[in-house]
DNA sequence: CGTATTGTTGATTGCAATCAATGAGAGTGG
DNA sequence: CCACTCTCATTGATTGCAATCAACAATACG
């Protein structure tokens, strides 16, 4: 997860070979280091690709956070996922990306050139498994998230979101939210006002604690949150 | 797409070898007939599998319609997709199904035994491609649907749904909805009353026509619907 | 033909959105 | 260093869309 040679073309893609190991969420992964990607670093807010861009590459997060989202023509935004370290995303059936991707905070990703899947799976079956697994994980997350968007109340949405983030990044019951309120709102199908109010409410009820910086979260009553979750 | 030997075990799974060709939505598919599945027929309302069942098989719809859905503990339901002829679903990373599947109408599916993906891709690269493609298509649909659930109004949801169904099953601008209002509602994150009212409204405005049987739809003003769509 | 299921329509409510103002930090330049 | 600005977050007042509650109509089914 190193060897980043900077100043390397307009898109900051270094040709250096990079290992694609260390994947979270993929138990089957036993791949030896494979030379299939280059590193790219993004600063907070930087765009990785936009809807409609040629989908010649896909990506794996090394560190940081990427938001993937779609827009309606009037600007309404739906963030379908926050991609954290280990997550793979950006693989498409068609020639173009069907969603956009931006760095939520300073982030490093591995850039992988797209190639026929059969060929890849043949040359490198472990990586094939990893990819398939990653697609399925993304799909399972999407299913869970559709349930949230379609059928949960604001309070339930926030509770689910906090538990999910905690499961992915918390040390103990504490973690730092990498994204701002507008990102959370556009992920959960709410407004920033409702996100803020609901967090305040959960804090008042003693389920969570929000530090002054308002990004640091402590889960104070996980069972109560889980009751809101399901 | 025949050779269904009935009365064949508790789950109605016939051991007959069956071709998995004829896939909609999968342009790359050039597979010769492969013997990798058995047929199973379901009557309207019959369960294919439930959340928590062992995920030993996955499925491809031959004819009819399957709803895949998740439930909250109080019974709220989110139908994440209607699986129509050609669609592949039910493939999971874990040992158990994370959602349920039922027949919306009388339906026939191909049942495929799950096996390590690398092995499958090696023995049968075309089918590997097809599977990967299908996962990605499902994921793309899920992304579109999250945008709908999180950010669209009731009218926009219905317009999008009708255009989507039309693209998948319409002859000309006419088609028969295979599912009832409660299915549509639970797919779009609405109530049946809102679905009914919105359809009536669209009909009053001349965008669609709903026959007496209330399942037959005619799109009367596709451009207007498309304006509501995006 | 009677009963159950599914769909429509109307009245009212309520949750979250919208509109609006203020507060709290972070970064900048005088 | 401090005032200024900009962005992000919180809180309050009000509105509005879709949910809920309720009754009835239409269709399918045994």
């Amino acid at each position: 997860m190193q060897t980043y040679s900077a100043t390397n073309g307009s898109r900051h893609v270094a040709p250096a070979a990079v290992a694609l190991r260390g994947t979270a969420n993929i138990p089957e992964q036993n791949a030896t280091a494979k030379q299939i990607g280059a590193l790219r670093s993004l600063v907070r807010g930087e765009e990785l690709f936009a809807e409609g861009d040629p989908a010649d590459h896909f990506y794996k997060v090394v560190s940081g956070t990427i938001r993937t989202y779609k827009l309606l023509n009037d600007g309404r935004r739906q963030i379908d996922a926050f991609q954290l370290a280990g997550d793979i995303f950006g693989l498409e059936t068609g020639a173009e990306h069907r969603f956009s991707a931006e760095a939520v905070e300073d982030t490093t990703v591995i850039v992988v050139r797209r190639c026929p899947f059969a060929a890849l799976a043949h040359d490198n079956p472990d990586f094939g498994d990893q990819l398939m697994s990653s697609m399925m994980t993304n799909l399972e997350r999407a299913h869970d998230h559709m349930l949230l968007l379609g059928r949960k109340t604001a309070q339930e949405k926030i509770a689910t979101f906090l538990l999910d983030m905690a499961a992915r990044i918390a040390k103990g019951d504490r973690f730092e939210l990498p994204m701002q309120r507008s990102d959370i709102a556009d992920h959960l199908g709410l407004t920033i006002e409702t996100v803020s109010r609901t967090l305040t409410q959960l804090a008042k009820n003693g389920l969570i604690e929000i530090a002054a910086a308002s990004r640091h979260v402590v889960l104070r009553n996980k069972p109560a949150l889980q009751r809101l979750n399901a």
Side-chain angles (χ1 to χ4, degrees), chain A:
Chain A
M1 309 301 182
Q2 48 301 101
T3 58
Y4 174 62
S5 67
T7 66
N8 207 290
S10 63
R11 295 179 99 194
H12 302 186
V13 179
V18 164
L20 202 73
R21 60 151 78 225
T23 311
N25 312 315
I26 303 183
E28 304 93 318
Q29 180 207 301
N30 57 353
T32 50
K34 297 296 176 187
Q35 292 162 10
I36 35 186
L39 281 180
R40 174 169 172 198
S41 290
L42 301 102
V43 299
R44 192 165 75 88
E46 191 176 348
E47 179 180 288
L48 181 56
F49 58 80
E51 208 173 324
D53 282 358
D56 301 328
H57 304 87
F58 61 93
Y59 306 88
K60 176 168 173 169
V61 178
V62 175
S63 66
T65 306
I66 298 283
R67 57 176 171 250
T68 53
Y69 64 93
K70 293 173 78 79
L71 294 174
L72 292 173
N73 49 19
D74 64 359
R76 280 174 287 173
R77 181 177 68 158
Q78 178 63 42
I79 294 177
D80 41 71
F82 294 110
Q83 314 288 350
L84 307 181
D87 292 340
I88 294 173
F89 64 98
L91 202 45
E92 309 266 357
T93 50
E96 296 183 353
H97 282 299
R98 292 168 50 84
F99 53 86
S100 307
E102 290 171 354
V104 169
E105 57 185 334
D106 292 356
T107 297
T108 304
V109 297
I110 299 172
V111 183
V112 184
R113 185 171 298 279
R114 186 177 160 184
C115 65
F117 183 65
L120 185 153
H122 181 265
D123 297 349
N124 196 334
D126 283 338
F127 187 51
D129 275 353
Q130 200 185 139
L131 262 192
M132 193 66 184
S133 225
S134 154
M135 294 305 286
M136 291 197 288
T137 300
N138 283 343
L139 190 55
E140 285 166 10
R141 287 221 184 101
H143 283 155
D144 290 342
H145 204 58
M146 285 189 276
L147 177 62
L148 176 149
L149 290 171
R151 287 301 180 216
K152 289 189 182 180
T153 64
Q155 217 183 28
E156 292 166 339
K157 286 175 177 183
I158 295 285
T160 301
F161 173 71
L162 291 175
L163 287 169
D164 182 51
M165 287 305 294
R168 294 170 77 187
I169 63 172
K171 305 287 181 196
D173 286 335
R174 300 168 172 278
F175 60 96
E176 206 72 30
L177 288 170
M179 75 292 288
Q180 57 192 40
R181 298 292 185 266
S182 62
D183 290 326
I184 299 175
D186 286 348
H187 184 48
L188 302 181
L190 299 170
T191 59
I192 54 172
E193 293 94 330
T194 298
V195 170
S196 180
R197 274 186 248 276
T198 306
L199 286 171
T200 302
Q201 196 55 49
L202 290 176
K204 270 181 188 159
N205 298 346
L207 303 212
I208 62 171
E209 237 172 79
I210 304 269
S214 93
R215 292 286 186 93
H216 191 84
V217 178
V218 186
L219 305 187
R220 276 281 168 224
N221 189 344
K222 226 167 172 174
L225 285 171
Q226 267 145 0
R227 248 169 282 132
L228 285 175
N229 185 32

